[in-house]
Amino acid sequence: VWEAAGVGTVSPRTRLCVYCGSNMGSQPAYVEAARHLGHSLANRQIGLVYGGGRTGLMGAVARAVKESGGRVVGVIPEFMKVRELAYDEADELVTVITMRERKLLMETRADAFVALPGGWGTLEEIAEILTLRQLDVVRKPCVFLNQDGFYDPLLALFQRMLEERFFKPSNLELFRVAATVPDVFTQIAADYPDIAAEHKIVDIGAAKLATRPQDFDVIVLPNLYGDILSDVAAEMTGSVGLAGSANI
């Protein structure tokens, strides 16, 4: 899915969450990278999940996805929508009340994350995902697109945190760094979890569910890896007459 366009079977629900600035930034290369990423997502049949905005790099990546025939899912707070900041051409534009709801929904709907250049919001969003990875709440790949060295100072700060013993060496393994848009997909593929082991867990649970459904009061399946595993679980539970949620 991640390594090459047109190779393998891609779930229509496979999505990359993109965090980036609502401004264009000072360098044309930032906009070019955002548009390149958008076109690449569509060409690889990978959907976009993002903050739902129409301005800056956010708007650039969303429009590029649409131009190439891809699918765009935007999540935007009501107060931003009222200010006419929403990208109304998105295939799905979800309106929420708070910024916390926005981040949670974006995290839930995505299979991997990438941070392009941006400001406070971009840093906060990607830092929360890294924190969740550290806590083993999320196991989805996380990549910084270090366009023209934009994230070099942040990466140096991470190293300082390690040197000052606020980090463990393993913290630096929670993310990968890409220098180019094609490298984003290479880094995601290298860090993508082995779904086979998780499928086995689901297989065992589904087999017991099919034979002894009376043993179950509530069925909860973790969404650590996004919608790929959820698709499998939904199919299995559906075979025994249970209706799954949008994200099981």
Side-chain angles (χ1 to χ4, degrees):
V1 175
W2 300 105
E3 294 185 40
V7 176
T9 301
V10 181
S11 166
R13 294 175 65 187
T14 303
R15 302 186 187 104
L16 177 65
C17 180
V18 177
Y19 301 128
C20 58
S22 58
N23 293 309
M24 290 293 191
S26 62
Q27 305 297 325
Y30 299 151
V31 180
E32 293 171 7
R35 289 185 52 79
H36 187 184
L37 179 62
H39 291 305
S40 297
L41 287 173
N43 291 338
R44 295 165 186 263
Q45 302 179 52
I46 298 170
L48 168 67
V49 175
Y50 85 121
R54 62 178 177 81
T55 63
L57 300 188
M58 294 173 65
V61 68
R63 284 190 292 273
V65 172
K66 290 297 293 180
E67 288 169 7
S68 292
R71 179 171 175 79
V72 174
V73 176
V75 185
I76 190 165
E78 178 64 31
F79 72 88
M80 289 185 178
K81 197 172 183 181
V82 169
R83 296 177 189 175
E84 299 183 350
L85 297 176
Y87 180 59
D88 293 324
E89 289 76 16
D91 297 280
E92 183 181 352
L93 188 62
V94 183
T95 304
V96 296
I97 302 300
T98 68
M99 297 291 281
R100 291 183 178 88
E101 290 177 283
R102 181 197 207 186
K103 290 187 296 178
L104 178 60
L105 190 54
M106 291 167 68
E107 176 251 305
T108 302
R109 298 288 294 270
D111 298 294
F113 307 89
V114 62
L116 275 60
W120 286 120
T122 302
L123 285 178
E124 189 231 2
E125 289 165 332
I126 199 67
E128 180 166 320
I129 297 301
L130 290 175
T131 302
L132 293 172
R133 285 208 64 174
Q134 179 183 4
L135 297 171
D136 206 28
V137 175
V138 167
R139 299 177 187 173
K140 306 171 188 178
C142 186
V143 176
F144 288 92
L145 176 54
N146 194 24
Q147 181 68 41
D148 292 346
F150 178 83
Y151 281 113
D152 283 350
L154 181 62
L155 298 173
L157 177 60
F158 290 166
Q159 188 63 39
R160 176 69 182 276
M161 291 175 176
L162 176 63
E163 293 168 359
E164 299 294 343
R165 299 184 181 178
F166 291 107
F167 261 8
K168 296 179 180 179
S170 58
N171 285 57
L172 298 180
E173 299 173 2
L174 300 175
F175 64 89
R176 290 174 178 262
V177 180
T180 65
V181 168
D183 193 32
V184 167
F185 299 98
T186 301
Q187 296 301 326
I188 291 175
D191 195 35
Y192 211 68
D194 181 6
I195 301 295
E198 303 304 316
H199 280 189
K200 185 175 181 180
I201 295 173
V202 176
D203 287 342
I204 294 171
K208 186 173 181 181
L209 175 64
T211 56
R212 294 188 58 82
Q214 66 272 20
D215 291 346
F216 294 83
D217 295 318
V218 177
I219 300 171
V220 178
L221 295 171
N223 190 18
L224 294 173
Y225 303 119
D227 289 329
I228 293 177
L229 184 57
S230 294
D231 283 344
V232 175
E235 181 178 347
M236 290 178 174
T237 54
S239 68
V240 293
L242 296 178
S245 65
N247 284 283
I248 298 177

PDB file of all heavy atoms in Angstrom, residues 51-89:
ATOM      1  N   GLY A  51      -7.238  18.496   8.840  1.00  0.00           N
ATOM      2  CA  GLY A  51      -8.015  19.407   9.658  1.00  0.00           C
ATOM      3  C   GLY A  51      -9.143  20.149   8.992  1.00  0.00           C
ATOM      4  O   GLY A  51      -9.790  20.989   9.637  1.00  0.00           O
ATOM      5  N   GLY A  52      -9.425  19.866   7.718  1.00  0.00           N
ATOM      6  CA  GLY A  52     -10.610  20.391   7.061  1.00  0.00           C
ATOM      7  C   GLY A  52     -10.519  21.817   6.561  1.00  0.00           C
ATOM      8  O   GLY A  52     -11.518  22.363   6.090  1.00  0.00           O
ATOM      9  N   GLY A  53      -9.353  22.423   6.623  1.00  0.00           N
ATOM     10  CA  GLY A  53      -9.215  23.819   6.214  1.00  0.00           C
ATOM     11  C   GLY A  53      -8.979  23.997   4.726  1.00  0.00           C
ATOM     12  O   GLY A  53      -8.526  23.090   4.042  1.00  0.00           O
ATOM     13  N   ARG A  54      -9.249  25.210   4.257  1.00  0.00           N
ATOM     14  CA  ARG A  54      -9.050  25.516   2.838  1.00  0.00           C
ATOM     15  C   ARG A  54      -7.861  26.433   2.593  1.00  0.00           C
ATOM     16  O   ARG A  54      -7.524  26.734   1.454  1.00  0.00           O
ATOM     17  CB  ARG A  54     -10.312  26.169   2.265  1.00  0.00           C
ATOM     18  CG  ARG A  54     -10.692  27.513   2.901  1.00  0.00           C
ATOM     19  CD  ARG A  54     -11.925  28.112   2.233  1.00  0.00           C
ATOM     20  NE  ARG A  54     -12.359  29.356   2.855  1.00  0.00           N
ATOM     21  CZ  ARG A  54     -11.814  30.549   2.621  1.00  0.00           C
ATOM     22  NH1 ARG A  54     -10.812  30.639   1.755  1.00  0.00           N
ATOM     23  NH2 ARG A  54     -12.254  31.627   3.229  1.00  0.00           N
ATOM     24  N   THR A  55      -7.209  26.909   3.661  1.00  0.00           N
ATOM     25  CA  THR A  55      -6.113  27.859   3.514  1.00  0.00           C
ATOM     26  C   THR A  55      -4.770  27.189   3.746  1.00  0.00           C
ATOM     27  O   THR A  55      -4.684  26.093   4.312  1.00  0.00           O
ATOM     28  CB  THR A  55      -6.266  29.020   4.514  1.00  0.00           C
ATOM     29  OG1 THR A  55      -6.192  28.493   5.856  1.00  0.00           O
ATOM     30  CG2 THR A  55      -7.587  29.733   4.328  1.00  0.00           C
ATOM     31  N   GLY A  56      -3.716  27.859   3.323  1.00  0.00           N
ATOM     32  CA  GLY A  56      -2.363  27.416   3.590  1.00  0.00           C
ATOM     33  C   GLY A  56      -2.024  26.053   3.028  1.00  0.00           C
ATOM     34  O   GLY A  56      -2.585  25.603   2.022  1.00  0.00           O
ATOM     35  N   LEU A  57      -1.084  25.384   3.694  1.00  0.00           N
ATOM     36  CA  LEU A  57      -0.677  24.050   3.250  1.00  0.00           C
ATOM     37  C   LEU A  57      -1.806  23.048   3.389  1.00  0.00           C
ATOM     38  O   LEU A  57      -1.904  22.098   2.610  1.00  0.00           O
ATOM     39  CB  LEU A  57       0.538  23.571   4.064  1.00  0.00           C
ATOM     40  CG  LEU A  57       1.809  24.419   3.988  1.00  0.00           C
ATOM     41  CD1 LEU A  57       2.958  23.712   4.690  1.00  0.00           C
ATOM     42  CD2 LEU A  57       2.188  24.736   2.544  1.00  0.00           C
ATOM     43  N   MET A  58      -2.693  23.278   4.359  1.00  0.00           N
ATOM     44  CA  MET A  58      -3.847  22.396   4.523  1.00  0.00           C
ATOM     45  C   MET A  58      -4.692  22.384   3.257  1.00  0.00           C
ATOM     46  O   MET A  58      -5.065  21.321   2.745  1.00  0.00           O
ATOM     47  CB  MET A  58      -4.691  22.839   5.722  1.00  0.00           C
ATOM     48  CG  MET A  58      -4.012  22.688   7.067  1.00  0.00           C
ATOM     49  SD  MET A  58      -4.975  23.403   8.425  1.00  0.00           S
ATOM     50  CE  MET A  58      -6.410  22.327   8.392  1.00  0.00           C
ATOM     51  N   GLY A  59      -5.009  23.564   2.759  1.00  0.00           N
ATOM     52  CA  GLY A  59      -5.798  23.654   1.538  1.00  0.00           C
ATOM     53  C   GLY A  59      -5.060  23.113   0.337  1.00  0.00           C
ATOM     54  O   GLY A  59      -5.657  22.477  -0.544  1.00  0.00           O
ATOM     55  N   ALA A  60      -3.745  23.331   0.291  1.00  0.00           N
ATOM     56  CA  ALA A  60      -2.950  22.883  -0.853  1.00  0.00           C
ATOM     57  C   ALA A  60      -2.959  21.364  -0.970  1.00  0.00           C
ATOM     58  O   ALA A  60      -3.136  20.812  -2.066  1.00  0.00           O
ATOM     59  CB  ALA A  60      -1.520  23.395  -0.724  1.00  0.00           C
ATOM     60  N   VAL A  61      -2.768  20.661   0.151  1.00  0.00           N
ATOM     61  CA  VAL A  61      -2.733  19.202   0.083  1.00  0.00           C
ATOM     62  C   VAL A  61      -4.112  18.639  -0.243  1.00  0.00           C
ATOM     63  O   VAL A  61      -4.242  17.692  -1.034  1.00  0.00           O
ATOM     64  CB  VAL A  61      -2.166  18.593   1.387  1.00  0.00           C
ATOM     65  CG1 VAL A  61      -3.094  18.810   2.559  1.00  0.00           C
ATOM     66  CG2 VAL A  61      -1.856  17.115   1.211  1.00  0.00           C
ATOM     67  N   ALA A  62      -5.160  19.235   0.314  1.00  0.00           N
ATOM     68  CA  ALA A  62      -6.518  18.741   0.056  1.00  0.00           C
ATOM     69  C   ALA A  62      -6.910  18.936  -1.406  1.00  0.00           C
ATOM     70  O   ALA A  62      -7.478  18.034  -2.038  1.00  0.00           O
ATOM     71  CB  ALA A  62      -7.510  19.444   0.974  1.00  0.00           C
ATOM     72  N   ARG A  63      -6.626  20.105  -1.941  1.00  0.00           N
ATOM     73  CA  ARG A  63      -6.979  20.362  -3.352  1.00  0.00           C
ATOM     74  C   ARG A  63      -6.209  19.434  -4.287  1.00  0.00           C
ATOM     75  O   ARG A  63      -6.747  18.961  -5.300  1.00  0.00           O
ATOM     76  CB  ARG A  63      -6.714  21.824  -3.692  1.00  0.00           C
ATOM     77  CG  ARG A  63      -7.770  22.782  -3.137  1.00  0.00           C
ATOM     78  CD  ARG A  63      -7.601  24.182  -3.688  1.00  0.00           C
ATOM     79  NE  ARG A  63      -6.377  24.807  -3.186  1.00  0.00           N
ATOM     80  CZ  ARG A  63      -6.297  25.488  -2.057  1.00  0.00           C
ATOM     81  NH1 ARG A  63      -7.365  25.636  -1.290  1.00  0.00           N
ATOM     82  NH2 ARG A  63      -5.161  26.032  -1.676  1.00  0.00           N
ATOM     83  N   ALA A  64      -4.948  19.158  -3.955  1.00  0.00           N
ATOM     84  CA  ALA A  64      -4.149  18.271  -4.807  1.00  0.00           C
ATOM     85  C   ALA A  64      -4.719  16.855  -4.799  1.00  0.00           C
ATOM     86  O   ALA A  64      -4.752  16.193  -5.839  1.00  0.00           O
ATOM     87  CB  ALA A  64      -2.700  18.263  -4.325  1.00  0.00           C
ATOM     88  N   VAL A  65      -5.167  16.390  -3.641  1.00  0.00           N
ATOM     89  CA  VAL A  65      -5.795  15.066  -3.578  1.00  0.00           C
ATOM     90  C   VAL A  65      -7.018  15.017  -4.485  1.00  0.00           C
ATOM     91  O   VAL A  65      -7.207  14.078  -5.268  1.00  0.00           O
ATOM     92  CB  VAL A  65      -6.187  14.704  -2.127  1.00  0.00           C
ATOM     93  CG1 VAL A  65      -7.017  13.419  -2.094  1.00  0.00           C
ATOM     94  CG2 VAL A  65      -4.950  14.535  -1.252  1.00  0.00           C
ATOM     95  N   LYS A  66      -7.860  16.037  -4.392  1.00  0.00           N
ATOM     96  CA  LYS A  66      -9.078  16.076  -5.195  1.00  0.00           C
ATOM     97  C   LYS A  66      -8.758  16.182  -6.681  1.00  0.00           C
ATOM     98  O   LYS A  66      -9.427  15.562  -7.512  1.00  0.00           O
ATOM     99  CB  LYS A  66      -9.963  17.248  -4.755  1.00  0.00           C
ATOM    100  CG  LYS A  66     -10.593  17.070  -3.383  1.00  0.00           C
ATOM    101  CD  LYS A  66     -11.542  15.890  -3.338  1.00  0.00           C
ATOM    102  CE  LYS A  66     -12.772  16.116  -4.193  1.00  0.00           C
ATOM    103  NZ  LYS A  66     -13.693  14.939  -4.144  1.00  0.00           N
ATOM    104  N   GLU A  67      -7.761  16.971  -7.030  1.00  0.00           N
ATOM    105  CA  GLU A  67      -7.375  17.127  -8.438  1.00  0.00           C
ATOM    106  C   GLU A  67      -6.992  15.793  -9.070  1.00  0.00           C
ATOM    107  O   GLU A  67      -7.223  15.569 -10.267  1.00  0.00           O
ATOM    108  CB  GLU A  67      -6.197  18.098  -8.549  1.00  0.00           C
ATOM    109  CG  GLU A  67      -6.561  19.558  -8.296  1.00  0.00           C
ATOM    110  CD  GLU A  67      -5.328  20.444  -8.164  1.00  0.00           C
ATOM    111  OE1 GLU A  67      -4.204  19.926  -8.410  1.00  0.00           O
ATOM    112  OE2 GLU A  67      -5.476  21.624  -7.824  1.00  0.00           O
ATOM    113  N   SER A  68      -6.418  14.911  -8.269  1.00  0.00           N
ATOM    114  CA  SER A  68      -5.981  13.606  -8.779  1.00  0.00           C
ATOM    115  C   SER A  68      -7.001  12.507  -8.535  1.00  0.00           C
ATOM    116  O   SER A  68      -6.694  11.328  -8.723  1.00  0.00           O
ATOM    117  CB  SER A  68      -4.637  13.230  -8.143  1.00  0.00           C
ATOM    118  OG  SER A  68      -3.611  14.083  -8.595  1.00  0.00           O
ATOM    119  N   GLY A  69      -8.203  12.881  -8.106  1.00  0.00           N
ATOM    120  CA  GLY A  69      -9.271  11.904  -7.964  1.00  0.00           C
ATOM    121  C   GLY A  69      -9.277  11.154  -6.658  1.00  0.00           C
ATOM    122  O   GLY A  69      -9.926  10.106  -6.553  1.00  0.00           O
ATOM    123  N   GLY A  70      -8.568  11.656  -5.651  1.00  0.00           N
ATOM    124  CA  GLY A  70      -8.515  10.987  -4.363  1.00  0.00           C
ATOM    125  C   GLY A  70      -9.642  11.403  -3.437  1.00  0.00           C
ATOM    126  O   GLY A  70     -10.470  12.252  -3.771  1.00  0.00           O
ATOM    127  N   ARG A  71      -9.663  10.796  -2.259  1.00  0.00           N
ATOM    128  CA  ARG A  71     -10.717  11.043  -1.277  1.00  0.00           C
ATOM    129  C   ARG A  71     -10.177  11.884  -0.126  1.00  0.00           C
ATOM    130  O   ARG A  71      -9.114  11.596   0.429  1.00  0.00           O
ATOM    131  CB  ARG A  71     -11.291   9.727  -0.749  1.00  0.00           C
ATOM    132  CG  ARG A  71     -12.385   9.906   0.306  1.00  0.00           C
ATOM    133  CD  ARG A  71     -13.070   8.602   0.649  1.00  0.00           C
ATOM    134  NE  ARG A  71     -14.036   8.760   1.733  1.00  0.00           N
ATOM    135  CZ  ARG A  71     -15.255   9.258   1.580  1.00  0.00           C
ATOM    136  NH1 ARG A  71     -15.661   9.627   0.376  1.00  0.00           N
ATOM    137  NH2 ARG A  71     -16.067   9.393   2.618  1.00  0.00           N
ATOM    138  N   VAL A  72     -10.942  12.901   0.259  1.00  0.00           N
ATOM    139  CA  VAL A  72     -10.549  13.826   1.323  1.00  0.00           C
ATOM    140  C   VAL A  72     -11.570  13.776   2.457  1.00  0.00           C
ATOM    141  O   VAL A  72     -12.767  13.955   2.233  1.00  0.00           O
ATOM    142  CB  VAL A  72     -10.448  15.263   0.791  1.00  0.00           C
ATOM    143  CG1 VAL A  72     -10.188  16.247   1.937  1.00  0.00           C
ATOM    144  CG2 VAL A  72      -9.363  15.374  -0.273  1.00  0.00           C
ATOM    145  N   VAL A  73     -11.080  13.523   3.670  1.00  0.00           N
ATOM    146  CA  VAL A  73     -11.894  13.590   4.876  1.00  0.00           C
ATOM    147  C   VAL A  73     -11.352  14.730   5.733  1.00  0.00           C
ATOM    148  O   VAL A  73     -10.198  14.690   6.163  1.00  0.00           O
ATOM    149  CB  VAL A  73     -11.857  12.273   5.674  1.00  0.00           C
ATOM    150  CG1 VAL A  73     -12.641  12.424   6.972  1.00  0.00           C
ATOM    151  CG2 VAL A  73     -12.408  11.130   4.835  1.00  0.00           C
ATOM    152  N   GLY A  74     -12.170  15.744   5.949  1.00  0.00           N
ATOM    153  CA  GLY A  74     -11.770  16.872   6.770  1.00  0.00           C
ATOM    154  C   GLY A  74     -12.518  16.870   8.094  1.00  0.00           C
ATOM    155  O   GLY A  74     -13.688  16.498   8.137  1.00  0.00           O
ATOM    156  N   VAL A  75     -11.829  17.269   9.146  1.00  0.00           N
ATOM    157  CA  VAL A  75     -12.442  17.367  10.480  1.00  0.00           C
ATOM    158  C   VAL A  75     -12.186  18.778  10.983  1.00  0.00           C
ATOM    159  O   VAL A  75     -11.031  19.163  11.168  1.00  0.00           O
ATOM    160  CB  VAL A  75     -11.857  16.338  11.458  1.00  0.00           C
ATOM    161  CG1 VAL A  75     -12.600  16.396  12.789  1.00  0.00           C
ATOM    162  CG2 VAL A  75     -11.910  14.930  10.873  1.00  0.00           C
ATOM    163  N   ILE A  76     -13.257  19.542  11.204  1.00  0.00           N
ATOM    164  CA  ILE A  76     -13.080  20.950  11.519  1.00  0.00           C
ATOM    165  C   ILE A  76     -14.027  21.387  12.633  1.00  0.00           C
ATOM    166  O   ILE A  76     -15.190  20.973  12.667  1.00  0.00           O
ATOM    167  CB  ILE A  76     -13.301  21.817  10.254  1.00  0.00           C
ATOM    168  CG1 ILE A  76     -12.884  23.263  10.488  1.00  0.00           C
ATOM    169  CG2 ILE A  76     -14.739  21.736   9.763  1.00  0.00           C
ATOM    170  CD1 ILE A  76     -12.749  24.055   9.194  1.00  0.00           C
ATOM    171  N   PRO A  77     -13.552  22.208  13.568  1.00  0.00           N
ATOM    172  CA  PRO A  77     -14.436  22.728  14.618  1.00  0.00           C
ATOM    173  C   PRO A  77     -15.456  23.709  14.049  1.00  0.00           C
ATOM    174  O   PRO A  77     -15.194  24.401  13.060  1.00  0.00           O
ATOM    175  CB  PRO A  77     -13.472  23.441  15.581  1.00  0.00           C
ATOM    176  CG  PRO A  77     -12.125  22.878  15.266  1.00  0.00           C
ATOM    177  CD  PRO A  77     -12.150  22.561  13.806  1.00  0.00           C
ATOM    178  N   GLU A  78     -16.598  23.779  14.683  1.00  0.00           N
ATOM    179  CA  GLU A  78     -17.682  24.640  14.215  1.00  0.00           C
ATOM    180  C   GLU A  78     -17.237  26.091  14.115  1.00  0.00           C
ATOM    181  O   GLU A  78     -17.599  26.791  13.161  1.00  0.00           O
ATOM    182  CB  GLU A  78     -18.885  24.515  15.161  1.00  0.00           C
ATOM    183  CG  GLU A  78     -20.063  25.404  14.813  1.00  0.00           C
ATOM    184  CD  GLU A  78     -20.697  25.063  13.477  1.00  0.00           C
ATOM    185  OE1 GLU A  78     -20.661  23.880  13.087  1.00  0.00           O
ATOM    186  OE2 GLU A  78     -21.222  25.991  12.813  1.00  0.00           O
ATOM    187  N   PHE A  79     -16.448  26.584  15.075  1.00  0.00           N
ATOM    188  CA  PHE A  79     -16.082  27.995  15.055  1.00  0.00           C
ATOM    189  C   PHE A  79     -15.219  28.349  13.851  1.00  0.00           C
ATOM    190  O   PHE A  79     -15.253  29.477  13.360  1.00  0.00           O
ATOM    191  CB  PHE A  79     -15.396  28.404  16.361  1.00  0.00           C
ATOM    192  CG  PHE A  79     -13.996  27.889  16.550  1.00  0.00           C
ATOM    193  CD1 PHE A  79     -12.908  28.597  16.075  1.00  0.00           C
ATOM    194  CD2 PHE A  79     -13.771  26.707  17.232  1.00  0.00           C
ATOM    195  CE1 PHE A  79     -11.611  28.131  16.260  1.00  0.00           C
ATOM    196  CE2 PHE A  79     -12.486  26.228  17.430  1.00  0.00           C
ATOM    197  CZ  PHE A  79     -11.399  26.940  16.938  1.00  0.00           C
ATOM    198  N   MET A  80     -14.448  27.381  13.334  1.00  0.00           N
ATOM    199  CA  MET A  80     -13.671  27.621  12.121  1.00  0.00           C
ATOM    200  C   MET A  80     -14.565  27.584  10.887  1.00  0.00           C
ATOM    201  O   MET A  80     -14.357  28.345   9.930  1.00  0.00           O
ATOM    202  CB  MET A  80     -12.561  26.583  11.990  1.00  0.00           C
ATOM    203  CG  MET A  80     -11.437  26.742  12.985  1.00  0.00           C
ATOM    204  SD  MET A  80     -10.102  25.567  12.649  1.00  0.00           S
ATOM    205  CE  MET A  80      -8.927  26.039  13.917  1.00  0.00           C
ATOM    206  N   LYS A  81     -15.550  26.717  10.926  1.00  0.00           N
ATOM    207  CA  LYS A  81     -16.489  26.632   9.808  1.00  0.00           C
ATOM    208  C   LYS A  81     -17.281  27.928   9.682  1.00  0.00           C
ATOM    209  O   LYS A  81     -17.529  28.411   8.571  1.00  0.00           O
ATOM    210  CB  LYS A  81     -17.424  25.443  10.018  1.00  0.00           C
ATOM    211  CG  LYS A  81     -18.161  24.984   8.779  1.00  0.00           C
ATOM    212  CD  LYS A  81     -18.898  23.678   9.065  1.00  0.00           C
ATOM    213  CE  LYS A  81     -19.596  23.170   7.807  1.00  0.00           C
ATOM    214  NZ  LYS A  81     -20.338  21.913   8.083  1.00  0.00           N
ATOM    215  N   VAL A  82     -17.670  28.504  10.816  1.00  0.00           N
ATOM    216  CA  VAL A  82     -18.416  29.762  10.823  1.00  0.00           C
ATOM    217  C   VAL A  82     -17.581  30.873  10.195  1.00  0.00           C
ATOM    218  O   VAL A  82     -18.110  31.771   9.531  1.00  0.00           O
ATOM    219  CB  VAL A  82     -18.831  30.129  12.264  1.00  0.00           C
ATOM    220  CG1 VAL A  82     -19.369  31.556  12.335  1.00  0.00           C
ATOM    221  CG2 VAL A  82     -19.874  29.144  12.782  1.00  0.00           C
ATOM    222  N   ARG A  83     -16.288  30.824  10.374  1.00  0.00           N
ATOM    223  CA  ARG A  83     -15.382  31.825   9.807  1.00  0.00           C
ATOM    224  C   ARG A  83     -15.075  31.564   8.328  1.00  0.00           C
ATOM    225  O   ARG A  83     -14.206  32.206   7.744  1.00  0.00           O
ATOM    226  CB  ARG A  83     -14.074  31.858  10.589  1.00  0.00           C
ATOM    227  CG  ARG A  83     -14.230  32.291  12.049  1.00  0.00           C
ATOM    228  CD  ARG A  83     -12.894  32.233  12.750  1.00  0.00           C
ATOM    229  NE  ARG A  83     -13.025  32.433  14.189  1.00  0.00           N
ATOM    230  CZ  ARG A  83     -12.010  32.334  15.055  1.00  0.00           C
ATOM    231  NH1 ARG A  83     -10.794  32.025  14.616  1.00  0.00           N
ATOM    232  NH2 ARG A  83     -12.218  32.525  16.333  1.00  0.00           N
ATOM    233  N   GLU A  84     -15.765  30.607   7.739  1.00  0.00           N
ATOM    234  CA  GLU A  84     -15.621  30.256   6.326  1.00  0.00           C
ATOM    235  C   GLU A  84     -14.203  29.788   5.998  1.00  0.00           C
ATOM    236  O   GLU A  84     -13.638  30.111   4.955  1.00  0.00           O
ATOM    237  CB  GLU A  84     -16.021  31.429   5.431  1.00  0.00           C
ATOM    238  CG  GLU A  84     -17.480  31.858   5.601  1.00  0.00           C
ATOM    239  CD  GLU A  84     -17.888  32.968   4.658  1.00  0.00           C
ATOM    240  OE1 GLU A  84     -16.999  33.546   3.999  1.00  0.00           O
ATOM    241  OE2 GLU A  84     -19.095  33.248   4.567  1.00  0.00           O
ATOM    242  N   LEU A  85     -13.635  29.015   6.911  1.00  0.00           N
ATOM    243  CA  LEU A  85     -12.292  28.475   6.712  1.00  0.00           C
ATOM    244  C   LEU A  85     -12.307  27.027   6.231  1.00  0.00           C
ATOM    245  O   LEU A  85     -11.255  26.439   6.005  1.00  0.00           O
ATOM    246  CB  LEU A  85     -11.497  28.563   8.020  1.00  0.00           C
ATOM    247  CG  LEU A  85     -11.253  29.975   8.559  1.00  0.00           C
ATOM    248  CD1 LEU A  85     -10.549  29.907   9.917  1.00  0.00           C
ATOM    249  CD2 LEU A  85     -10.430  30.805   7.577  1.00  0.00           C
ATOM    250  N   ALA A  86     -13.490  26.434   6.098  1.00  0.00           N
ATOM    251  CA  ALA A  86     -13.596  25.014   5.754  1.00  0.00           C
ATOM    252  C   ALA A  86     -13.429  24.777   4.256  1.00  0.00           C
ATOM    253  O   ALA A  86     -13.808  25.613   3.427  1.00  0.00           O
ATOM    254  CB  ALA A  86     -14.936  24.457   6.218  1.00  0.00           C
ATOM    255  N   TYR A  87     -12.879  23.611   3.937  1.00  0.00           N
ATOM    256  CA  TYR A  87     -12.768  23.175   2.541  1.00  0.00           C
ATOM    257  C   TYR A  87     -14.032  22.394   2.204  1.00  0.00           C
ATOM    258  O   TYR A  87     -14.133  21.187   2.430  1.00  0.00           O
ATOM    259  CB  TYR A  87     -11.523  22.310   2.365  1.00  0.00           C
ATOM    260  CG  TYR A  87     -11.309  21.794   0.957  1.00  0.00           C
ATOM    261  CD1 TYR A  87     -11.174  22.677  -0.118  1.00  0.00           C
ATOM    262  CD2 TYR A  87     -11.223  20.433   0.705  1.00  0.00           C
ATOM    263  CE1 TYR A  87     -10.968  22.202  -1.399  1.00  0.00           C
ATOM    264  CE2 TYR A  87     -11.009  19.947  -0.575  1.00  0.00           C
ATOM    265  CZ  TYR A  87     -10.889  20.835  -1.623  1.00  0.00           C
ATOM    266  OH  TYR A  87     -10.684  20.361  -2.900  1.00  0.00           O
ATOM    267  N   ASP A  88     -15.013  23.082   1.648  1.00  0.00           N
ATOM    268  CA  ASP A  88     -16.336  22.498   1.428  1.00  0.00           C
ATOM    269  C   ASP A  88     -16.345  21.425   0.352  1.00  0.00           C
ATOM    270  O   ASP A  88     -17.308  20.660   0.246  1.00  0.00           O
ATOM    271  CB  ASP A  88     -17.335  23.602   1.064  1.00  0.00           C
ATOM    272  CG  ASP A  88     -17.580  24.561   2.225  1.00  0.00           C
ATOM    273  OD1 ASP A  88     -17.591  24.094   3.379  1.00  0.00           O
ATOM    274  OD2 ASP A  88     -17.742  25.772   1.969  1.00  0.00           O
ATOM    275  N   GLU A  89     -15.288  21.363  -0.457  1.00  0.00           N
ATOM    276  CA  GLU A  89     -15.230  20.362  -1.528  1.00  0.00           C
ATOM    277  C   GLU A  89     -14.771  18.994  -1.021  1.00  0.00           C
ATOM    278  O   GLU A  89     -14.678  18.044  -1.803  1.00  0.00           O
ATOM    279  CB  GLU A  89     -14.290  20.837  -2.635  1.00  0.00           C
ATOM    280  CG  GLU A  89     -14.837  21.999  -3.465  1.00  0.00           C
ATOM    281  CD  GLU A  89     -14.751  23.325  -2.725  1.00  0.00           C
ATOM    282  OE1 GLU A  89     -13.997  23.404  -1.712  1.00  0.00           O
ATOM    283  OE2 GLU A  89     -15.422  24.284  -3.142  1.00  0.00           O
TER     284      GLU A  89
END
